[in-house]
Amino acid sequence: MSRKVTAKMAKSSMAGSGRGGGSGGGSAPPRGPPAGQEGAGRAGPGQAACTGRGQGRAGVGMGGPRRLLLVSNSTLHGGGYLGHCQQHIKSFLGEKVKRVLFVPYALHDRDAYARTAREKFESLGYGLDSIHESCDPVEAVRKSEAIFIGGGNTFRLLKALYDNSLIQEIRKRVLEDGIPYMGSSAGTNVATVSINTTNDMPIVYPPSLQALGLVPFNINPHYLDPDVKSTHMGETREERIRQYHEEPNTPPVLGLREGAMLLVEGDKATLQGVTGARLFLRGKKPTEHEPGTDFSFLLIDSNLQNL
């Protein structure tokens, strides 16, 4: 990566520290990567060579409004992988979807990650194809019935999406063709405006912090409340999100606690799960919200500065 790009990345604000998740940034819709930044991914450690799997069924498109299930975390304490949200997944995907396209780019060992996801989705009655097993990731997205992007490192994930020329392809499939999109943790991060409020370390540099822009605000997964008994003197998650909002034209940030998720169906957004969420608006005091809260107003305007 050039010194110019690295310097630009260093100026971008990040919020929080912890496990994979969180995004934020300006309100402009994501654009494609700079010239020369996109290209087909290559097989590496933990990544299957091109097998032709992950192609899905040709020409499958729902043709309806956007449908998103944005989950804070993949595993809740005391449960297994996606166990806390498996009923939400079945309700969300329904009976029309037969196969799910899995995007394991957020973790290094993509083969192992795909096995874990495949086992869970097959137990729910859905086939699963992993995009890293496909000879043509773009074609795999174009033929997909539903997309699930898993958690891990958000920077690694976003870079791989750019490297494989998938940003605009996924946007088109979800926003224009209406196929269901599910994300957990980092996969929820990249569904938003940008990854500025991620909890992750920048272990790699994507060409831009702008993400998929499927919703016009940011989400901070794994949101942690301040521990009044803690002697830790570092910034709390709330303080870091407030620092992000010190920058101009920054969109709202929805802090999703572990066990929470946001269901988006067209222009309606509803908080689901077993825990609540904390909403941060620039220049406003944060507000607390319980499951069942209607967050549809967040879908109207990316900045919402007049609320």
Side-chain angles (χ1 to χ4, degrees), residues 33-46:
Q37 291 290 346
E38 291 192 336
R42 298 177 181 176

Side-chain angles (χ1 to χ4, degrees), residues 30-99:
R31 290 173 284 183
Q37 291 290 346
E38 291 192 336
R42 298 177 181 176
Q47 178 178 1
C50 173
T51 64
R53 298 178 66 177
Q55 296 299 321
R57 295 188 298 171
V60 178
M62 303 297 178
R66 65 182 160 186
R67 298 189 65 243
L68 317 173
L69 183 62
L70 305 177
V71 184
S72 177
N73 52 298
S74 301
T75 305
L76 192 62
H77 179 72
Y81 181 69
L82 299 177
H84 68 291
C85 59
Q86 62 182 21
Q87 294 304 318
H88 294 275
I89 295 172
K90 292 184 69 173
S91 176
F92 176 65
L93 295 178
E95 297 181 357
K96 290 185 178 180
V97 171
K98 303 302 180 184
R99 302 194 69 82

Side-chain angles (χ1 to χ4, degrees), residues 107-263:
L107 291 186
H108 180 69
D109 191 342
R110 298 172 180 177
D111 290 342
Y113 202 5
R115 285 194 296 271
T116 298
R118 183 172 287 120
E119 180 179 352
K120 169 53 69 174
F121 276 83
E122 287 181 350
S123 75
L124 299 178
Y126 302 100
L128 183 139
D129 302 303
S130 185
I131 196 168
H132 82 290
E133 297 169 342
S134 173
C135 298
D136 188 341
V138 169
E139 189 65 14
V141 169
R142 290 174 179 173
K143 292 182 177 180
S144 60
E145 300 176 55
I147 295 172
F148 169 43
I149 300 185
N153 185 278
T154 311
F155 289 91
R156 172 187 280 152
L157 169 60
L158 186 59
K159 182 178 186 299
L161 293 178
Y162 274 113
D163 288 348
N164 288 283
S165 305
L166 295 176
I167 296 292
Q168 295 303 328
E169 295 295 337
I170 293 175
R171 279 178 56 80
K172 179 181 183 302
R173 289 296 283 145
V174 176
L175 299 181
E176 297 181 23
D177 299 339
I179 71 165
Y181 175 99
M182 176 182 165
S184 66
S185 192
T188 288
N189 291 157
V190 298
T192 64
V193 175
S194 75
I195 66 168
N196 286 84
T197 56
T198 182
N199 303 315
D200 297 329
M201 293 184 178
I203 60 174
V204 295
Y205 289 108
S208 170
L209 295 184
Q210 288 186 327
L212 292 168
L214 304 181
V215 293
F217 56 91
N218 291 334
I219 291 177
N220 179 245
H222 305 282
Y223 178 76
L224 289 172
D225 295 291
D227 183 357
V228 295
K229 297 181 180 181
S230 175
T231 58
H232 177 66
M233 297 303 294
E235 295 96 334
T236 64
R237 193 72 56 84
E238 181 170 325
E239 288 172 334
R240 292 192 175 189
I241 294 175
R242 189 183 305 125
Q243 290 170 356
Y244 169 65
H245 276 153
E246 290 172 352
E247 297 300 315
N249 302 316
T250 44
V253 178
L254 184 62
L256 287 180
R257 294 184 179 89
E258 294 196 347
M261 63 201 79
L262 188 71
L263 175 66

